[in-house]
Amino acid sequence: MSLIGYEIATGIGGGKTIVAMLPGLTILTLGGIIVWQLWKKKISQLDQKNVKTSDKLTIAVNRLITENNELSKKINHLQTKISTLQPTTISQKSVTLDSLINESVKVTKNSSKLAMLKQIVADNVALRTT
Amino acid sequence: MSNTFYIGIDLGTSRSCLATSTGKRISTRTCVGYPKDIISQKRFGKDYLLGDDALNNRLALNMIWPLADGIICEDKKSIEATGLILKHLIAEALPEKQADDKIYVAIGVPAQASINSKKVIIDITKSFLDKILIVSEAFSVAYSIDRFDECLIVDIGAGTTDLCRMHGSMPEEEDQVTLNFAGNFLDNVITQAILEKFPEVQLTPQIIRRIKEKHGYVYDVSEPVQVTLTTQGLPAEYDITDILKECCLKLTNPISQAIQKLIATFDPDFQKKLRNNIIIAGGGSRLKGIDISIEKSLEKYGGGDAECIQDAEFCGSIGALKMCIEMPDDYWEEI
């Protein structure tokens, strides 16, 4: 058995032991206080940062709400304008199915065909003048 | 914005066919029926019926076939009927046409139709068409299949058979022949022949047409042709195998002779090519074995090759439409 163990066991050196551990405990307590203070400061800084970010977001949201309101007003204004214009200036021309599927002209580039078509036209012109 | 629609029309004796630039294909009987009396007028509720509608109600109508001989008959009623047919065909083909839209049309007529009959067509259509082009039917067929090199077009219609010799340029008058041996001629011959052998049977032009279209042939051999005809209301089977062949040969023989004549008068260096490029079109091309029969008739000249066109009904109108679509604008302006 060691000397300290012996002293504790026997109760002889109890006071001595507490006195010997006191400076260590003091240092430990002070260290804890310092760490706590530093931690508290850091948390407070983070809080401030969050508040700033939150303020910025609030401003941005408010800006968007304002912009949305302005755009809604503009849309309403334009819709009113169209409804007043439609009956007077926009004519509704119906697009027929025939016109959509109508085959476009494919003028021939074949010279012999063109010559034959020219001859047909000439014959038809002569037919009308005869 | 206005549209320009193009139409090709084959104005035929029996059927008129139309093809449009909107992809429509319409075919109708070239006939108009006017109510016989006040009762029939009340029944139909119209001043006239057209095409198959008229034919199906013919017992109560005075039928007008305005192109009975291949060209427009020049009496007032026929001219009016032709106008009605064309107007209704076009209205049916372009139902959504707006007032400012334009219609440019090419109409196929027999190769040797008179100037007067061509002028009649122009006169009756100018009120509802913007531009009208009159073209040869046989040339329209050649145009539809892009055959302008040495070939011979044989367009067997109901009123006329048109032959057209192509040689890479516009066919001249001597390159074209119009025969009156066509579908209607064959109908008459078949009617006479059947009545000669079976004088009691009841025949109508529609019965004869059905027999011809279903059984007409010019082969050497054929399955027996048995048709059901009535005698005083009693139906019975009649064998007309030999009658039908003899009659059909009466149509194909003059056509073969006309083919031989057109070949014989062609440049000798190109006669063989012409013989080997015979194209048969029109309703008559449906006669079974007509291509073989024509080839046989050319054996003594060194043989030949004839083929029947696939789309016999619409090839003329499609050719006319193709001409319209391929025609430059400034050419149209000249008309």
Side-chain angles (χ1 to χ4, degrees):
Chain A
M1 185 186 288
S2 70
L3 183 63
I4 293 169
Y6 172 77
E7 284 178 350
I8 291 167
T10 55
I12 302 164
K16 278 184 185 177
T17 310
I18 291 165
V19 171
M21 287 173 74
L22 203 63
L25 283 168
T26 311
I27 290 165
L28 207 71
T29 311
L30 282 170
I33 291 165
I34 290 163
V35 168
W36 170 247
Q37 287 298 324
L38 286 170
W39 184 251
K40 208 176 162 185
K41 201 178 175 184
K42 204 169 184 183
I43 285 174
S44 140
Q45 278 176 348
L46 275 171
D47 270 350
Q48 280 176 354
K49 209 176 174 184
N50 281 341
V51 168
K52 275 184 187 174
T53 316
S54 172
D55 286 347
K56 274 184 188 173
L57 283 171
T58 311
I59 292 165
V61 167
N62 286 338
R63 227 180 253 166
L64 284 171
I65 289 168
T66 316
E67 204 175 321
N68 184 40
N69 287 340
E70 278 174 16
L71 287 170
S72 297
K73 275 182 193 169
K74 275 186 184 173
I75 289 167
N76 282 336
H77 179 66
L78 288 170
Q79 274 177 341
T80 319
K81 218 172 172 183
I82 286 173
S83 64
T84 52
L85 284 174
Q86 219 162 18
T88 52
T89 54
I90 302 171
S91 64
Q92 289 184 320
K93 177 150 175 76
S94 59
V95 180
T96 64
L97 183 65
D98 276 350
S99 65
L100 285 175
I101 57 175
N102 193 24
E103 198 177 339
S104 57
V105 175
K106 291 171 198 152
V107 175
T108 183
K109 287 173 185 163
N110 182 326
S111 57
S112 63
K113 264 190 181 181
L114 281 170
M116 285 188 266
L117 291 173
K118 186 126 191 123
Q119 182 63 50
I120 290 170
V121 169
D123 290 345
N124 272 267
V125 171
L127 184 67
R128 283 159 173 84
T129 52
T130 310
Chain B
M1 203 181 88
S2 68
N3 299 291
T4 303
F5 297 110
Y6 298 94
I7 301 179
I9 298 176
D10 180 358
L11 194 58
T13 301
S14 170
R15 298 196 77 91
S16 288
C17 301
L18 171 150
T20 73
S21 53
T22 57
K24 290 258 176 72
R25 304 277 183 270
I26 296 175
S27 169
T28 185
R29 294 270 180 202
T30 315
C31 62
V32 180
Y34 295 91
K36 276 181 177 170
D37 50 32
I38 192 77
I39 298 167
S40 54
Q41 183 146 26
K42 209 158 189 187
R43 178 186 157 198
F44 300 120
K46 291 176 186 173
D47 291 336
Y48 54 84
L49 296 183
L50 296 162
D52 292 319
D53 205 12
L55 208 58
N56 293 336
N57 293 288
R58 63 186 179 277
L59 296 180
L61 301 168
N62 287 320
M63 295 297 290
I64 302 281
W65 292 84
L67 286 98
D69 301 315
I71 51 164
I72 299 177
C73 306
E74 288 176 22
D75 60 286
K76 202 180 160 194
K77 211 75 177 161
S78 295
I79 292 170
E80 183 194 276
T82 310
L84 287 173
I85 291 164
L86 287 171
K87 203 171 184 175
H88 281 262
L89 261 180
I90 290 165
E92 193 185 336
L94 298 172
E96 294 174 319
K97 182 196 169 285
Q98 307 284 308
D100 56 346
D101 290 339
K102 290 187 166 53
I103 304 180
Y104 290 7
V105 177
I107 301 178
V109 297
Q112 291 183 342
S114 69
I115 289 174
N116 211 29
S117 63
K118 290 177 186 174
K119 277 185 165 180
V120 165
I121 295 173
I122 295 171
D123 286 340
I124 57 178
T125 52
K126 66 183 173 192
S127 63
F128 53 93
L129 300 178
D130 296 280
K131 301 274 182 193
I132 310 147
L133 203 64
I134 304 291
V135 293
S136 146
E137 269 168 17
F139 181 72
S140 300
V141 172
Y143 207 96
S144 75
I145 51 171
D146 274 327
R147 289 297 304 269
F148 305 111
D149 53 342
E150 287 71 25
C151 73
L152 185 61
I153 306 289
V154 184
D155 182 13
I156 310 169
T160 57
T161 295
D162 289 290
L163 294 97
C164 181
R165 200 166 56 186
M166 299 298 299
H167 42 73
S169 61
M170 197 67 195
E172 303 286 329
E173 209 173 317
E174 63 267 20
D175 295 317
Q176 304 188 65
V177 172
T178 297
L179 302 173
N180 290 322
F181 298 100
N184 287 356
F185 163 81
L186 182 56
D187 291 354
N188 292 335
V189 171
I190 295 172
T191 309
Q192 283 169 19
I194 292 176
L195 287 176
E196 207 168 283
K197 195 167 180 186
F198 312 108
E200 300 294 311
V201 295
Q202 294 171 303
L203 297 174
T204 66
Q206 282 67 42
I207 293 170
I208 295 296
R209 195 171 292 148
R210 281 198 294 273
I211 291 172
K212 176 186 73 177
E213 286 171 1
K214 192 171 180 189
H215 303 289
Y217 78 103
V218 280
Y219 287 125
D220 280 342
V221 285
S222 159
E223 294 278 305
V225 180
Q226 302 271 349
V227 291
T228 307
L229 300 169
T230 52
T231 304
Q232 292 186 340
L234 290 172
E237 290 280 309
Y238 294 87
D239 189 320
I240 57 163
T241 315
D242 296 333
I243 294 176
L244 207 55
K245 188 186 172 186
E246 276 170 33
C247 294
C248 291
L249 283 173
K250 282 183 183 167
L251 170 69
T252 56
N253 285 344
I255 293 172
S256 296
Q257 282 164 18
I259 291 171
Q260 288 158 15
K261 195 178 167 191
L262 274 175
I263 293 170
T265 53
F266 199 48
D267 186 321
D269 287 338
F270 295 95
Q271 286 182 5
K272 189 181 175 189
K273 201 173 177 190
L274 202 62
R275 279 202 316 270
N276 287 322
N277 287 288
I278 297 168
I279 295 152
I280 311 160
S285 66
R286 293 190 189 127
L287 275 184
K288 296 178 196 88
I290 190 162
D291 46 350
I292 297 164
S293 167
I294 287 171
E295 283 173 9
K296 276 188 86 174
S297 74
L298 292 168
E299 271 174 0
K300 62 179 174 184
Y301 294 89
D305 190 9
E307 61 171 316
C308 296
I309 215 158
Q310 289 292 315
D311 192 356
E313 191 171 10
F314 284 100
C315 60
S317 55
I318 288 170
L321 171 66
K322 208 169 159 189
M323 274 184 235
C324 291
I325 288 177
E326 293 187 348
M327 179 94 73
D329 273 348
D330 52 325
Y331 285 21
W332 281 112
E333 292 306 314
E334 289 178 37
I335 300 167

